[in-house]
Amino acid sequence: MVISEDLLWDAEEKGTPTVSRLRRTAVTAGCVGLFVLVLWTASDATWAAWAAAAYVLAEIAYRVWDRRRLVEARIVVGEADGRARLRLRQAGGRTTEHDPHQVARVLIIRDNVVDSANLRLRLHGKRVLFGRPGRPPAVTTWRRTCPRAHVHERNAWWGMPGVPD
């Protein structure tokens, strides 16, 4: 097991891109609002209002899910007992520490087009934690750090655009 502090996962974007999401939501809401006003006089356009409400709810759900994604995973020496701990930091700022033996599965999905990867981490008895896209990590470091985990790496299922598979 690794005793020194090692960075296992590092996302490219660690903050929450609030301005771009607010701009996207405002533009979509404005277009749907204009569409509703144009169609409201000629026919029943309540479906457009329901579509706008569904879009806003979907955007809120995505924001909540995105704040729980992992942006950093590192192995640190525990302060109390001196044992190595797995420190996971989420996009919303929450940091948790776990025993590396609690990790059941690590899946690294490499992108076929650009040099990036996604992380899926499952702890024993817990839900799957998703990582934001980042640089592909070394699989051997994960295997050495989490000896009981099933560490697997695969390419993404989609191919390069414009090139037949």
Side-chain angles (χ1 to χ4, degrees), residues 125-149:
K126 301 214 178 185
R127 65 186 181 353
V128 176
L129 299 171
F130 294 93
R132 281 190 175 172
R135 303 261 316 144
V139 179
T140 56
T141 308
W142 277 102
R143 286 188 178 129
R144 189 178 49 215
T145 303
C146 306
R148 294 184 185 170

Side-chain angles (χ1 to χ4, degrees), residues 109-129:
I109 304 170
R110 292 183 176 269
D111 195 343
N112 295 340
V113 180
V114 295
D115 188 28
S116 81
N118 287 324
L119 173 73
R120 292 183 188 165
L121 182 72
R122 179 185 292 276
L123 301 173
H124 284 291
K126 301 214 178 185
R127 65 186 181 353
V128 176
L129 299 171

Side-chain angles (χ1 to χ4, degrees), residues 28-40:
T28 304
C31 291
V32 168
L34 182 64
F35 186 66
V36 167
L37 287 176
V38 167
L39 288 181
W40 202 283

Side-chain angles (χ1 to χ4, degrees), residues 26 55-56 135:
Y55 171 75
V56 169
R135 303 261 316 144

